[in-house]
Amino acid sequence: MQRKHWISAAALAAGLAWSGFAQAQTTVRIAWYSDGNEGEVVSDLLKRFEAQNKDIKVVLDQVPYKAITENLPVQLASGQGPDIARVVDLGGVARYALDLRPYLKDASYWEKNFGPFLPWMRPEGDSSAITGFMTQLTVSGPFVNKTLFEQSGIAMPGAKATWEEWGKAVKDVAAKAQAPFPLAMDRSGHRFFSVAISEGAKVFDEKGEPAVIDEGFKRGAKLVYDWHNNGVMKKELWGSVSGTAYRGANDEFKNAQVVMYQSGSWQIAQFDKTVGDAFDWIAVPAPCGSVGVCSGMPGGAGLVAIKTTKSPEAVAKVMDYLASEPVLSEFYARSLFVPGHLGIAAKGLDYQGASGPAKAALKVFSDQVAQLSPVAYKLQGYVNNRIIFNATISRLGQAISGEGTLDEAFKRIESDIAQQIAERKK
Amino acid sequence: MAAAETDPRPRGADAAGPVAGLLAAPLALLMRLVDWPMRALQRAVGERRMAYVFLLPNLGFFSLFVFLPLVINFVFSVTGGAGLFPSERPFVGAQQYAYLFDCASFLDPSSCREDHFWRGVYNTARFTVFQVTAMVLFSLLTAVVLNMKIRARGFFRAVYFFPVLLSPVVVALTWKWILQRDGLLNAAITSLGGERILFLVDPSWAMFWVVFVSIWAHMGCYTLILLAGLQAIPADLYEAAEMDATPRWRVFWRITLPLLWPNMVVVIVLALIRGVQTFDEVFVLTGGGPGTATLMIVHYIYETAFANQVQNFGLAAAASVVLGIVLFALTLAQLAASRRKGAA
């Protein structure tokens, strides 16, 4: 009987201790979307974090990209969002972001290594907050099917070739190789503005206010418009859908149907995995515009802390861990991402497991980071940049599909941007 | 009689055995528990008003999930800004409606401030007219054939109904796979020596396929409604017509169609409402393109409210109110038409 009492007492004590421990554990919820294998990689890293920090449980909600761009803003506005989110509309989400400085172990580490990218994630008018870091720095730029060039016997344009030269070359290659898509460009504002900025688009006036339609923008738009009319580009991407819908040609490129694909560095991992030995592919530096500018667009996904969190200390702990140099190096290396951490970028990354073409492509895009136009950086950091991107793709897409002229599209782009910015300021 | 008055067991307990009796006992207890308050309530409100008491729970449910969202939607339509909660949104009166109706010419969407809204209105109107007309005709034709004594009738009935069971997204993705550049249809055309057709890039083809796919996906449901109507027509009417040697087209015109009219009205109203509300299949199949050739009004509302960086809930809500009014008017018109026909 005595022994039974002891066992019961021990069981009760263990139960109480366990429930006390369970209550003490803080849950941090992360909303995460993936382009490639980065969800698996971060999941591995977070397991290690949990093993080292028994008081914090991290729940990784892996969601589709559309949930991040369309559902998350509504969740955040209603105060029901996650504690941390991986986002691409950095400016749009910035007003819901938590300033981590009071909770970080060493804020100077963040400023030193993420300095140029921190303003992208700050609320309008804030010049000092630290809200997150770039899980991936992307650079838009073209991939080329080298095998199609070789088979057609046409020389590939050089490093400083213009967009027009590339357009002519890929059209000739496609004609000889019978590839249906000479040039494909994602239906995306970032991709279009790579061309427009290279053609001299300034995007902003002297006061820093958006002044999107200028001669450079018009040259870029006309180039893309003409490509659709003379067969360099097909209407399947830009002319086949309406509004702000994104369309990519990664499947067509993997199937060797595209000679040149204007996309970006995030495609490397999947091309490395899926193209294999089917054909030779390379990334080439951003082609130049007629004014001598040769720029892609920077971009990427940031991991941002959300201010409605009930556990800012735990959130900061998770962020400190994920942003630490060894962890982030492993993350970038395993995901085949261009690093958004200056220290890691300076030391260089060993992309173990990547094939030769993938390593070469990563080098091309990493080298491009320093070559990007200041206008491109400014546009990426502009809080309302998605308004500009969406208005452009929607109206340019209409002109390409035959609904109205380019001049009408320019007027609509200007009025759409003005209306939406005015609505946001109400 | 006396036994029935004194027997406390629920009626039917004997016949159904001990299990049913066991199940019926708690029900009887529950009924006895609510008996007293219900009697008290009836005394208080009167017997005639008790109907409203019974309607109240359903009405409450309906109010919470239908009327309240309608009111909230209306409140959003008279506010502006990018805030989510009404308290964060400035009152702008009828400004959102003024934006929607700001047109130099209503016949030319490009002259309107919200040109996509008007393109959506015209596309939806065009889609609805073609789709509903074709849907009713094909459903009627199919129902008439399936009502005949043909071989494997059950199999054909199942085949025509099967697409209704599929998710709209599955339907759209399947057809997209068939219609795209390297799709099944183009493979067939090129194998026969024809030229590849970009069905989803050419505006007129895109609208044709949107209508076609919608009919393919939903026809089974309407066919079933009409088939039920056909089977309810008394056979002696047809026998009498046969004895009079009435021609078949006259039988159809004078007997089948008038007696099927109530079902036809249901089909027309349902198809019309579904046509005006169409979104999911078109969104996946064409994304509203090429350009805005298949952009429907609900797609415009979705884009305005959710896809843009500034989620313009006010403008989207105003467009929803306009859509709601159109749907309401259409339903009333159809009901009036059916009543007139019934009275005649």
Side-chain angles (χ1 to χ4, degrees):
Chain A
M1 195 68 185
Q2 192 80 0
R3 198 175 165 202
K4 265 188 185 173
H5 278 304
W6 271 109
I7 292 168
S8 305
L12 187 66
L16 284 173
W18 172 251
S19 68
F21 173 71
Q23 277 169 6
Q25 201 178 35
T26 307
T27 300
V28 172
R29 194 167 274 277
I30 304 178
W32 183 280
Y33 84 94
S34 296
D35 285 319
N37 68 334
E38 66 268 33
E40 284 167 45
V41 177
V42 81
S43 180
D44 273 1
L45 296 171
L46 288 171
K47 272 178 200 151
R48 271 184 242 161
F49 171 82
E50 283 181 323
Q52 292 161 18
N53 298 272
K54 301 277 187 202
D55 57 331
I56 299 175
K57 178 175 171 52
V58 185
V59 179
L60 188 72
D61 293 321
Q62 301 219 38
V63 297
Y65 177 74
K66 229 173 167 44
I68 294 289
T69 55
E70 292 179 11
N71 302 357
L72 184 69
V74 180
Q75 274 184 293
L76 296 177
S78 69
Q80 300 296 314
D83 300 297
I84 299 171
R86 184 173 192 237
V87 296
V88 282
D89 178 16
L90 302 169
V93 171
R95 62 201 161 124
Y96 305 111
L98 171 72
D99 185 0
L100 287 164
R101 281 175 302 168
Y103 311 104
L104 291 173
K105 218 186 298 172
D106 178 12
S108 64
Y109 164 83
W110 286 66
E111 274 154 5
K112 189 177 150 202
N113 291 299
F114 303 112
F117 318 116
L118 293 176
W120 297 358
M121 292 172 263
R122 281 180 186 143
E124 208 167 2
D126 191 326
S127 57
S128 55
I130 296 175
T131 61
F133 65 95
M134 297 303 285
T135 55
Q136 169 191 25
L137 183 67
T138 60
V139 183
S140 61
F143 295 93
V144 177
N145 185 323
K146 200 176 157 198
T147 303
L148 288 179
F149 265 95
E150 286 165 359
Q151 283 174 351
S152 61
I154 292 169
M156 200 181 292
K160 289 281 174 187
T162 64
W163 274 111
E164 289 199 58
E165 286 164 350
W166 271 105
K168 191 180 172 312
V170 295
K171 194 179 174 191
D172 292 343
V173 171
K176 282 201 169 177
Q178 294 190 321
F181 299 93
L183 170 62
M185 177 160 64
D186 292 334
R187 194 176 191 269
S188 137
H190 273 88
R191 253 62 88 223
F192 169 74
F193 272 95
S194 305
V195 180
I197 290 170
S198 297
E199 287 293 338
K202 295 277 177 274
V203 190
F204 300 97
D205 61 17
E206 291 88 18
K207 291 176 196 159
E209 294 298 318
V212 176
I213 308 298
D214 59 11
E215 287 310 308
F217 181 95
K218 286 181 180 174
R219 272 194 298 274
K222 188 162 186 323
L223 199 58
V224 174
Y225 181 80
D226 288 345
W227 279 338
H228 281 92
N229 289 332
N230 62 26
V232 173
M233 285 176 78
K234 302 291 177 189
K235 290 187 178 176
E236 266 99 330
L237 296 181
W238 280 76
S240 72
V241 287
S242 74
T244 59
Y246 170 85
R247 281 287 185 280
N250 42 339
D251 286 336
E252 287 81 358
F253 185 77
K254 286 185 279 191
N255 288 324
Q257 293 182 312
V258 182
V259 182
M260 184 187 209
Y261 178 31
Q262 163 73 348
S263 189
S265 55
W266 60 97
Q267 304 280 14
I268 294 172
Q270 61 160 309
F271 289 166
D272 189 29
K273 196 172 166 186
T274 53
V275 175
D277 297 331
F279 59 86
D280 291 334
W281 59 276
I282 56 166
V284 295
C288 303
S290 55
V291 292
V293 179
C294 323
S295 180
M297 267 295 291
L303 196 66
V304 176
I306 306 299
K307 67 181 172 193
T308 49
T309 181
K310 290 188 176 77
S311 325
E313 291 86 0
V315 165
K317 215 168 177 181
V318 175
M319 294 292 276
D320 258 332
Y321 167 78
L322 289 174
S324 63
E325 200 169 314
V327 174
L328 204 49
S329 289
E330 183 181 339
F331 175 78
Y332 290 141
R334 284 174 63 189
S335 307
L336 303 190
F337 284 162
V338 175
H341 180 290
L342 299 182
I344 297 171
K347 285 177 195 161
L349 264 178
D350 181 14
Y351 293 101
Q352 286 174 350
S355 67
K359 280 184 181 169
L362 280 159
K363 183 168 181 344
V364 169
F365 284 112
S366 300
D367 292 348
Q368 287 287 294
V369 175
Q371 314 290 324
L372 299 177
S373 155
V375 178
Y377 276 112
K378 194 171 177 185
L379 178 56
Q380 174 58 22
Y382 179 54
V383 72
N384 292 322
N385 61 10
R386 245 184 92 213
I387 292 177
I388 296 175
F389 295 148
N390 285 350
T392 304
I393 57 175
S394 171
R395 298 305 181 174
L396 191 55
Q398 268 184 274
I400 286 166
S401 69
E403 283 178 11
T405 63
L406 263 185
D407 284 333
E408 284 166 353
F410 296 151
K411 281 182 198 153
R412 284 287 182 184
I413 291 168
E414 271 184 330
S415 65
D416 285 356
I417 293 169
Q419 278 170 26
Q420 288 204 45
I421 291 177
E423 201 65 32
R424 172 163 271 182
K425 285 181 177 166
K426 270 182 190 167
Chain B
M1 189 69 183
E5 277 168 7
T6 52
D7 189 353
R9 287 176 303 170
R11 203 178 290 174
D14 275 343
V19 176
L22 206 66
L23 289 174
L27 193 67
L29 181 71
L30 187 73
M31 295 309 285
R32 242 179 262 132
L33 281 175
V34 296
D35 187 57
W36 178 81
M38 291 308 280
R39 277 178 196 281
L41 198 63
Q42 188 171 318
R43 270 197 299 276
V45 300
E47 196 174 331
R48 290 190 65 189
R49 290 198 191 117
M50 277 304 281
Y52 297 104
V53 173
F54 289 113
L55 284 176
L56 215 57
N58 220 345
L59 197 66
F61 194 78
F62 210 67
S63 301
L64 189 65
F65 294 106
V66 178
F67 293 135
L68 186 62
L70 275 177
V71 172
I72 293 172
N73 187 73
F74 182 75
V75 169
F76 267 77
S77 76
V78 291
T79 59
L84 180 66
F85 296 108
S87 58
E88 298 167 348
R89 303 177 58 81
F91 177 75
V92 296
Q95 195 187 64
Q96 307 286 15
Y97 295 94
Y99 286 163
L100 288 179
F101 288 93
D102 181 3
C103 275
S105 162
F106 286 108
L107 296 175
D108 176 16
S110 59
S111 72
C112 302
R113 186 185 191 271
E114 285 301 316
D115 60 327
H116 282 183
F117 172 74
W118 286 100
R119 286 181 197 278
V121 167
Y122 286 119
N123 287 339
T124 307
R126 205 147 37 107
F127 170 83
T128 307
V129 168
F130 288 128
Q131 193 250 20
V132 172
T133 310
M135 177 87 83
V136 171
L137 286 176
F138 284 122
S139 300
L140 182 63
L141 191 70
T142 314
V144 168
V145 173
L146 290 178
N147 197 37
M148 291 174 178
K149 284 175 185 161
I150 54 170
R151 203 177 283 179
R153 191 165 63 167
F155 169 76
F156 284 116
R157 283 179 184 176
V159 163
Y160 279 97
F161 190 73
F162 179 69
V164 178
L165 304 175
L166 298 175
S167 139
V169 175
V170 172
V171 168
L173 286 175
T174 307
W175 278 98
K176 196 174 183 176
W177 178 69
I178 294 170
L179 298 171
Q180 64 195 11
R181 173 187 279 269
D182 295 320
L184 203 63
L185 194 53
N186 268 322
I189 291 171
T190 48
S191 69
L192 294 170
E195 281 284 308
R196 204 186 296 267
I197 302 169
L198 299 177
F199 293 111
L200 301 177
V201 175
D202 182 288
S204 41
W205 272 116
M207 184 52 107
F208 168 80
W209 284 110
V210 161
V211 171
F212 179 89
V213 171
S214 176
I215 292 171
W216 181 85
H218 304 290
M219 200 180 83
C221 179
Y222 303 116
T223 302
L224 206 68
I225 296 171
L226 294 177
L227 191 60
L230 285 172
Q231 289 175 349
I233 298 173
D236 51 356
L237 291 175
Y238 290 111
E239 284 163 14
E242 203 178 329
M243 285 167 73
D244 292 345
T246 313
R248 290 183 98 176
W249 67 268
R250 202 175 164 81
V251 171
F252 179 78
W253 197 250
R254 292 289 182 186
I255 298 174
T256 308
L257 216 50
L259 291 175
L260 196 61
W261 184 247
N263 295 60
M264 290 282 280
V265 170
V266 171
V267 165
I268 292 168
V269 171
L270 289 179
L272 210 60
I273 290 171
R274 171 136 193 128
V276 175
Q277 291 176 328
T278 204
F279 170 64
D280 34 22
E281 281 151 11
V282 184
F283 181 71
V284 178
L285 185 65
T286 64
T292 54
T294 58
L295 177 78
M296 303 294 167
I297 190 164
V298 180
H299 188 169
Y300 165 82
I301 292 168
Y302 159 76
E303 280 264 336
T304 308
F306 301 110
N308 291 324
Q309 188 180 29
V310 176
Q311 301 187 318
N312 199 338
F313 299 123
L315 196 61
S320 304
V321 171
V322 173
L323 176 68
I325 291 169
V326 170
L327 281 171
F328 190 63
L330 281 173
T331 311
L332 286 183
Q334 290 294 336
L335 286 174
S338 67
R339 270 199 204 117
R340 264 205 300 277
K341 189 83 183 172

